[in-house]
Amino acid sequence: MALALAAPALAGGNLYTRAQQLFLDLGLPPWIFAILVAAVKVALILVFILLNVLFLIWLERKLGGHLQNRLGPVYTGPFGLLQTVADALKVLVKEDVIPAAADRWAFIVAPFIAFVPALMIWLVVPFGPGLQARDLSIGVLYVAALSGLIIPSLLTAGWSSGSKWSLLGAFRAGAQLISYEVPLLLAQLAVVVWAGSLSLNDIVRAQQQGTWFILLQPVGFIVYLIAAIAELNRTPFDLPEAESELVAGFNTEYSGFRFAIFFLTEYANLLTSSAIAATLFLGGWSGPWLPPFVWFLLKTYVFVFIAMWVRFTLPRLRVDQLMNFAWKLLLPVALLNVVVTGAIVAL
Amino acid sequence: MDTQIEPRTAGGEEIHTEEIMVNMGPQHPSTHGVLRAVLTLDGERITGVDCDIGYLHRCFEKVSEKLTYPQIIPYTDRADYLGGMTNELAFVLTVEQALGIEVPRRAQFIRVIMSELQRIHSHLIWFGTFGLDLGATTPFLYSFRDREVISDFFEEVSGARMMYNYMRVGGVRNDITAAWVEKVREFLRRFPAYLQEYDDLLTGNPILKARTRGIGRIDAATAIAYGASGPVLRASGVAYDLRKNDPYLVYDELSFEVATATEGDVLARYRVRLKEMRESARLVQQALEGLPEGDFLGKAPRIIKLPPGHYYGHVEGPRGEVGCYIVSDGDRRPYRLHWRAPSFVHLQLLPIMAKGHFMGDMVAIIGSIDIVMGEVDR
Amino acid sequence: MMAVWRQVAEGVTGVIKGHVVTLRNLFRRPVTYRYPQVRPELPVGTRGIPVLLSDEEGKLLCTACEVCARECPVQVIHISAHRDENKKKVLDEFDIDVSRCMFCGICAEVCAFGAIAMSDVYELADFEQDRLIYNKDRLAEIGRRRRGPIINYGIKTEGPRYGPEPAATAASPAPAAKTSPPEGAKP
């Protein structure tokens, strides 16, 4: 039973078996217990993501502030830690504006199309040994499939807003995300070839036994880093929402909690990409002395820091340069990397 | 990399897609105020630019007809609000020239110091906002950090950080103190390090080069035909600088280089402005060295009346030639005042520069001509 | 081929250099501060609201000559005065409409008696437009907070930087102000 894998993770082996026994003793059918366990897992993952996203938004502003010789948020709580909470409250009490020219239902649905896959990816992320909601044997493929789902959301948002800026942003988003998906997948593919498994858990174990893949796949890591930042729409690849060009791109017309959902998705995706990067290249939860979960978080935040650091340093590319970069530079390099990796593994 | 755009073709035939028209501004993050540019876009490509101005019109020229000459000085600050000192200078020089007033040497040196500090001040803002236009947020904060120091200098001598009201007919409002001079010296000592930081952060960046090289190119002939001046003209290879070509104050006694470039594109204008900051720092240094003792405010009539006639005075502002044209009928108030605003002139070049480039280049081009809408609309 | 590699190398070093700059600044002390708690040290002569100065006895220096009102480019100073039994001008009203004042400092400059100075009170936002018209008493009150000499036509004040609350009479509607009695100075 697949559930058994995650059991020690959630509540410790004994508690899990005891609870299971309790349910069986009460004469309830086992599927109720299965649903309950699944619900608990979902709740835990949701809490994990939301807490981290709250922290990430604060971190971005604080780190951005200090990188730019500013203080960043200071007025809300110690070190301004409650800034995101204050922002969330502000955004939630705002008027919900749906433009008259908008395609109403598509406009309403678009943020959620982006939000839900961002959460679903976490099903396969290994937080620690056994600490994983479900160890899919096709983990990497699953992650790739779900992260691709953001494209229709952005296209829907841009199209349905009924604004030209949004439309331009959506065009850009579509072109950019599809282009960068390719090198991103190829970078992951090289790791998969090396580890010989699509399961994220197996990839971590392969790194635990050998070395981290960042040492074996430096090119793959750099390609992943660049492509992931592009996938996240972050500077220097933030063209879909380039504020100095397109006002706010695809989310120009969004306000209130719909905007908050987009915002949340953006940071949830940042967290996801970082977690995947940590798992694929930095050895995931493996590491000495500290508990695996802490290692996992630390490595995730290394990637987060890099993404933020890059954001506050580089200017933005232009739309044609963006495409050239993806297809003429990143893609050949990633392909070559896969070929070389394959050759080495075959030998 | 040459970005001359070729028509898109398929099977030898040119592809035409439906063009869309978007209003860039007046509420847009990078139109530097309230410029409204009606863009015709073929996808991301700009096929037409139509500028609509006047959103910041405050009747400066008309109001001036109802004001006495000393009262106009604070208004000139508000024309180009990033170049207050040079604006005031253009105005008081015109009045002084009309009246034939001799300005004390100390006042002339102080005016040079202020003009050049103003140039650095304005170029720092340009640098920051240009980075912002290109999507880099950090240069903005760094340049504002350093500009703040100059603002403090201005505040100490004039009492205000932007709207100085410092120049007077016959001199300047307040004297500068030895302590102030020392502070400026200290700033100038640190300034090269700041510029080095900007170079490391932005100038050396391959993305910046790719975004700016070959974009918004104008040749010298077009620039001259349109009456461009300042960094925009100099970046097209014309070494025209009023400080050299029609020296005012004591510029002919000071040594400096006119920053020029030949490419005429956004990158060239970027380089020219960075070079100008270095030269301005040199000028301030020299003016501080040669600062004579004496009066800071010379003799001027208590009631200023310009003899009937037409007067034109001009100075090299941070953005180009700032000109003041006064028609007097002998009254205490000008009969007519016209302001030559370099931004207004340069804005006319925008359609030529932008056509055929991408939407993303538009903001780079607007940033590179460094418009101040307060000056365009006046 | 060599040129391409050089270009790549230049690009990479350019990007790395930029990151070094931002990283170095991460460990520098921020230049901003928590504004309402920490306030900037303003130089004397900063042009905040123009205020009326008094002598040691607390009597206003203003002689109601109205030069400032005449020279004010935006015409925000309103003065009214009457002549006492010695044919001497006595100041009744002196209002500055701060909402239209552009803080150019010309009033302080032209005053032959040094009765007006630019103060460092700059936090003038208010909830009602009427309260932005500062009358003689309010202007004099800020002037009495003066600390140190007049430099560059400006003074430094002590105490809170906000302007004083309008007196109870000033808070009443505008018509009342027009008919206020000539005697204004209160001990």
Side-chain angles (χ1 to χ4, degrees):
Chain A
M1 209 173 158
L3 278 174
L5 256 172
L10 285 169
N14 290 332
L15 191 63
Y16 176 78
T17 41
R18 262 189 299 171
Q20 197 174 23
Q21 197 54 51
L22 185 71
F23 263 75
L24 292 175
D25 290 349
L26 286 172
L28 295 166
W31 59 266
I32 293 195
F33 181 69
I35 288 176
L36 208 68
V37 169
V40 168
K41 282 183 198 165
V42 168
L44 282 177
I45 288 175
L46 264 179
V47 166
F48 172 81
I49 294 175
L50 290 180
L51 279 181
N52 267 287
V53 164
L54 285 185
F55 180 71
L56 270 181
I57 296 173
W58 172 82
L59 185 70
E60 175 111 304
R61 306 180 73 170
K62 199 73 179 174
L63 192 68
H66 281 276
L67 281 168
Q68 299 178 336
N69 275 320
R70 293 183 286 120
L71 285 170
V74 280
Y75 293 100
T76 42
F79 307 106
L81 266 169
L82 298 175
Q83 183 67 43
T84 323
V85 180
D87 285 346
L89 277 177
K90 185 203 92 173
V91 151
L92 287 178
V93 298
K94 273 195 159 186
E95 187 190 353
D96 178 24
V97 183
I98 298 179
D103 186 339
R104 212 182 148 77
W105 290 109
F107 186 82
I108 291 171
V109 162
F112 300 100
I113 304 180
F115 189 54
V116 174
L119 300 183
M120 279 167 66
I121 292 179
W122 286 85
L123 186 67
V124 293
V125 175
F127 295 95
L131 206 58
Q132 189 180 17
R134 185 128 198 180
D135 185 18
L136 287 183
S137 57
I138 49 155
V140 175
L141 194 64
Y142 174 81
V143 169
L146 282 179
S147 59
L149 274 180
I150 190 152
I151 302 170
S153 157
L154 301 191
L155 281 176
T156 316
W159 166 253
S160 64
S161 292
S163 153
K164 286 165 188 166
W165 297 120
S166 301
L167 191 62
L168 280 172
F171 288 163
R172 285 182 175 192
Q176 174 182 336
L177 295 189
I178 290 169
S179 305
Y180 279 86
E181 198 97 304
V182 182
L184 187 78
L185 288 184
L186 286 174
Q188 294 177 346
L189 188 63
V191 171
V192 170
V193 167
W194 204 287
S197 167
L198 279 166
S199 154
L200 288 171
N201 212 12
D202 288 354
I203 291 172
V204 173
R205 285 194 197 286
Q207 293 180 75
Q208 204 177 16
Q209 281 144 22
T211 50
W212 292 359
F213 283 145
I214 187 174
L215 299 174
L216 302 172
Q217 289 284 335
V219 178
F221 178 72
I222 291 169
V223 170
Y224 181 89
L225 183 75
I226 295 170
I229 290 175
E231 282 287 295
L232 293 166
N233 296 337
R234 293 173 67 84
T235 319
F237 308 104
D238 60 341
L239 284 107
E241 44 195 309
E243 81 282 344
S244 61
E245 296 162 26
L246 299 184
V247 189
F250 60 86
N251 57 25
T252 305
E253 302 295 336
Y254 280 90
S255 63
F257 84 98
R258 288 180 217 290
F259 173 76
I261 299 276
F262 266 126
F263 206 66
L264 217 60
T265 311
E266 206 179 307
Y267 282 89
N269 279 335
L270 172 60
L271 193 67
T272 312
S273 285
S274 309
I276 300 292
T279 308
L280 292 182
F281 293 100
L282 302 176
W285 41 259
S286 65
W289 310 305
L290 294 170
F293 184 68
V294 176
W295 270 116
F296 171 77
L297 263 186
L298 266 179
K299 288 168 181 173
T300 304
Y301 273 87
V302 165
F303 192 87
V304 167
F305 174 76
I306 293 175
M308 290 181 178
W309 186 15
V310 169
R311 173 178 172 177
F312 287 107
T313 304
L314 295 180
R316 183 184 303 126
L317 283 163
R318 203 174 54 210
V319 70
D320 59 323
Q321 292 159 352
L322 185 87
M323 290 298 140
N324 283 345
F325 189 68
W327 293 106
K328 293 185 185 165
L329 186 69
L330 222 48
L331 183 65
V333 168
L335 264 176
L336 203 69
N337 186 42
V338 172
V339 170
V340 171
T341 308
I344 293 173
V345 169
L347 292 172
Chain B
M1 181 176 58
D2 196 51
T3 47
Q4 198 53 49
I5 281 131
E6 294 156 17
R8 282 175 295 172
T9 51
E13 274 182 52
E14 208 175 310
I15 304 175
H16 271 291
T17 46
E18 196 182 333
E19 291 180 342
I20 59 169
M21 208 158 89
V22 290
N23 277 307
M24 188 174 173
Q27 289 96 17
H28 187 280
S30 53
T31 50
H32 294 249
V34 283
L35 169 67
R36 172 167 166 242
V38 183
L39 303 181
T40 320
L41 295 179
D42 173 18
E44 285 265 349
R45 208 160 288 174
I46 297 165
T47 54
V49 182
D50 191 6
C51 290
D52 191 2
I53 60 171
Y55 289 92
L56 205 59
H57 183 55
R58 292 153 299 171
C59 309
F60 160 53
E61 290 175 4
K62 188 70 189 168
V63 165
S64 300
E65 294 170 15
K66 297 285 168 214
L67 296 172
T68 61
Y69 291 101
Q71 285 180 336
I72 294 173
I73 297 171
Y75 274 88
T76 59
D77 286 328
R78 286 153 173 86
D80 170 4
Y81 42 77
L82 299 181
M85 287 293 182
T86 43
N87 288 2
E88 289 169 12
L89 189 60
F91 180 75
V92 296
L93 279 181
T94 313
V95 174
E96 280 161 10
Q97 169 200 316
L99 291 171
I101 293 175
E102 196 62 39
V103 180
R105 261 184 82 73
R106 185 177 173 86
Q108 296 201 20
F109 272 83
I110 294 175
R111 284 176 174 185
V112 168
I113 294 167
M114 294 306 164
S115 301
E116 296 310 314
L117 281 178
Q118 180 73 76
R119 197 181 315 281
I120 297 175
H121 186 266
S122 172
H123 282 359
L124 282 176
I125 295 181
W126 157 80
F127 176 80
T129 51
F130 183 67
L132 212 54
D133 288 341
L134 293 181
T137 43
T138 306
F140 178 73
L141 274 301
Y142 290 175
S143 72
F144 265 60
R145 171 194 72 198
D146 305 334
R147 160 199 179 255
E148 201 63 16
V149 183
I150 304 181
S151 284
D152 287 342
F153 295 155
F154 285 152
E155 186 175 22
E156 201 170 325
V157 291
S158 74
R161 305 172 75 82
M162 272 177 96
M163 308 298 163
Y164 316 106
N165 189 14
Y166 183 65
M167 303 286 174
R168 287 288 175 275
V169 177
V172 292
R173 184 178 186 253
N174 305 313
D175 203 359
I176 56 177
T177 60
W180 188 86
V181 169
E182 198 38 58
K183 272 189 239 174
V184 177
R185 286 227 171 91
E186 174 60 31
F187 170 77
L188 291 176
R189 266 194 289 278
R190 279 177 292 141
F191 193 56
Y194 295 159
L195 286 173
Q196 185 58 46
E197 200 172 77
Y198 304 154
D199 277 347
D200 287 347
L201 184 61
L202 205 57
T203 314
N205 194 298
I207 300 178
L208 176 104
K209 283 184 188 145
R211 283 288 305 269
T212 53
R213 191 171 287 146
I215 304 298
R217 183 174 284 163
I218 41 164
D219 53 22
T222 320
I224 293 170
Y226 274 75
S229 56
V232 175
L233 181 63
R234 288 196 282 273
S236 294
V238 185
Y240 178 75
D241 189 322
L242 287 172
R243 293 173 293 176
K244 280 261 195 250
N245 294 62
D246 182 14
Y248 51 97
L249 300 178
V250 287
Y251 277 114
D252 46 359
E253 298 169 26
L254 308 171
S255 87
F256 66 102
E257 250 179 76
V258 177
T260 53
T262 48
E263 297 87 357
D265 55 3
V266 174
L267 186 59
R269 294 192 273 277
Y270 175 92
R271 290 222 170 100
V272 164
R273 288 209 177 85
L274 278 186
K275 177 102 186 292
E276 271 187 24
M277 281 200 257
R278 289 201 167 85
E279 293 301 319
S280 289
R282 258 182 73 199
L283 275 168
V284 176
Q285 189 77 50
Q286 290 174 50
L288 287 176
E289 298 298 331
L291 185 67
E293 291 299 318
D295 286 337
F296 61 94
L297 187 57
K299 290 267 174 291
R302 259 187 64 80
I303 291 171
I304 296 168
K305 280 184 182 173
L306 259 56
H310 296 228
Y311 308 98
Y312 182 73
H314 56 187
V315 300
E316 183 72 30
R319 262 155 284 279
E321 177 180 346
V322 180
C324 174
Y325 184 80
I326 298 174
V327 181
S328 172
D329 56 0
D331 193 17
R332 294 173 60 195
R333 300 172 172 81
Y335 175 77
R336 172 85 170 91
L337 184 142
H338 174 73
W339 201 255
R340 185 206 189 272
S343 293
F344 177 78
V345 177
H346 296 156
L347 195 60
Q348 316 309 317
L349 282 163
L350 186 61
I352 299 175
M353 290 178 181
K355 208 165 279 181
H357 289 299
F358 284 97
M359 174 68 214
D361 297 327
M362 180 75 186
V363 291
I365 293 167
I366 295 179
S368 79
I369 60 176
D370 193 16
I371 51 168
V372 167
M373 289 314 286
E375 189 182 42
V376 175
D377 298 336
R378 302 194 280 283
Chain C
M1 198 60 203
M2 234 11 239
V4 174
W5 284 115
R6 196 174 304 124
Q7 219 179 338
V8 170
E10 253 176 39
V12 171
T13 47
V15 169
I16 292 172
K17 262 187 183 171
H19 282 85
V20 170
V21 168
T22 41
L23 193 67
R24 221 175 24 225
N25 277 285
L26 179 62
F27 301 107
R28 231 178 244 171
R29 263 189 62 170
V31 290
T32 52
Y33 43 78
R34 306 182 62 163
Y35 159 59
Q37 287 98 326
V38 185
R39 278 154 192 287
E41 189 54 44
L42 297 174
V44 193
T46 289
R47 303 207 305 254
I49 178 178
V51 295
L52 291 172
L53 298 181
S54 319
D55 58 12
E56 285 84 32
E57 287 113 58
K59 226 173 129 273
L60 286 179
L61 293 171
C62 180
T63 55
C65 66
E66 298 189 32
V67 167
C68 51
R70 245 196 337 271
E71 292 296 322
C72 178
V74 275
Q75 305 281 305
V76 297
I77 302 177
H78 168 247
I79 296 177
S80 70
H82 71 278
R83 295 200 182 263
D84 63 3
E85 52 275 19
N86 305 329
K87 293 268 186 252
K88 211 171 157 250
K89 261 188 159 180
V90 179
L91 183 68
D92 296 332
E93 285 175 32
F94 189 103
D95 297 342
I96 292 181
D97 185 352
V98 177
S99 63
R100 294 199 297 136
C101 177
M102 65 173 174
F103 306 99
C104 62
I106 285 182
C107 50
E109 237 175 295
V110 296
C111 186
F113 304 93
I116 307 183
M118 307 304 283
S119 72
D120 58 358
V121 174
Y122 56 88
E123 286 157 331
L124 301 164
D126 216 320
F127 288 103
E128 284 158 51
Q129 208 167 2
D130 289 351
R131 288 154 62 104
L132 287 171
I133 298 173
Y134 277 60
N135 63 9
K136 186 175 65 171
D137 297 334
R138 288 171 79 192
L139 293 171
E141 192 189 330
I142 308 174
R144 289 198 192 96
R145 289 194 217 144
R146 166 182 163 184
R147 179 161 56 92
I150 302 174
I151 299 175
N152 291 355
Y153 310 104
I155 54 161
K156 252 184 136 52
T157 59
E158 52 196 22
R161 298 254 163 80
Y162 313 101
E165 283 295 308
T169 49
S172 57
K178 263 183 204 155
T179 55
S180 61
E183 182 49 55
K186 286 173 211 130

